[in-house]
Amino acid sequence: MFADPTGTRAAVFAAVFVALFVAHQVADHWVQTQRQADCKGRPGWPGRIACAAHVTTYTLTALLALVFLIAGTGLRLDPWGVTVGLTISAVSHYIADRRVPLRRCADALGKNPAWLEHGGGLYALDQSWHIGFLFIAALFCAV
């Protein structure tokens, strides 16, 4: 890693992270269809297909946010870095939204089942998982 005395790399990372975070909020709460939300965690192919459809629109929303960021600021991003970052975001999003892997992680960490099921715990863990991986995705996108 090389020194960046002007803070340019940090500013690019911050702008990319904000764009991905905004895209996440829009894609998860506005773009996702009710059918995708209801079915993406179901077992078998119906659940896999619903989750893949959601992740596709989620990733396209993130890409669109980056396009707007680039158009609005003149920022230049490496296409390979963006590809890797959006892939990390998409794969991690799919894993969490299939529900079982996230629930297994919560159980392994000893999270209270009542909080998970009735206290908003699964939603909180889902969103924090996504935001954590958005941070990693933004690091790659901003390379």
Side-chain angles (χ1 to χ4, degrees):
M1 178 78 47
F2 60 91
D4 179 21
T6 63
T8 303
R9 291 170 57 89
V12 170
F13 164 77
V16 169
F17 179 78
V18 168
L20 293 179
F21 182 79
V22 168
H24 167 76
Q25 294 298 316
V26 171
D28 243 15
H29 300 107
W30 285 95
V31 176
Q32 178 175 216
T33 67
Q34 191 60 50
R35 183 186 178 290
Q36 290 167 348
D38 292 342
C39 298
K40 65 187 180 185
R42 291 186 182 165
W45 282 105
R48 291 182 194 111
I49 291 168
C51 193
H54 166 55
V55 170
T56 298
T57 60
Y58 177 90
T59 304
L60 290 173
T61 303
L63 180 61
L64 186 61
L66 292 177
V67 167
F68 279 115
L69 176 66
I70 290 165
T73 65
L75 188 65
R76 298 183 75 165
L77 299 176
D78 177 64
W80 286 108
V82 169
T83 300
V84 171
L86 291 181
T87 300
I88 289 168
S89 176
V91 170
S92 66
H93 201 94
Y94 182 89
I95 290 168
D97 279 10
R98 289 296 290 144
R99 302 289 183 238
V100 172
L102 197 65
R103 181 58 193 250
R104 285 184 181 157
C105 288
D107 291 343
L109 293 171
K111 300 295 181 187
N112 183 324
W115 175 70
L116 291 173
E117 295 300 328
H118 306 293
L122 284 175
Y123 178 77
L125 293 176
D126 171 85
Q127 292 300 299
S128 62
W129 169 284
H130 294 325
I131 293 166
F133 276 100
L134 286 179
F135 181 89
I136 295 167
L139 287 172
F140 280 92
C141 289
V143 171

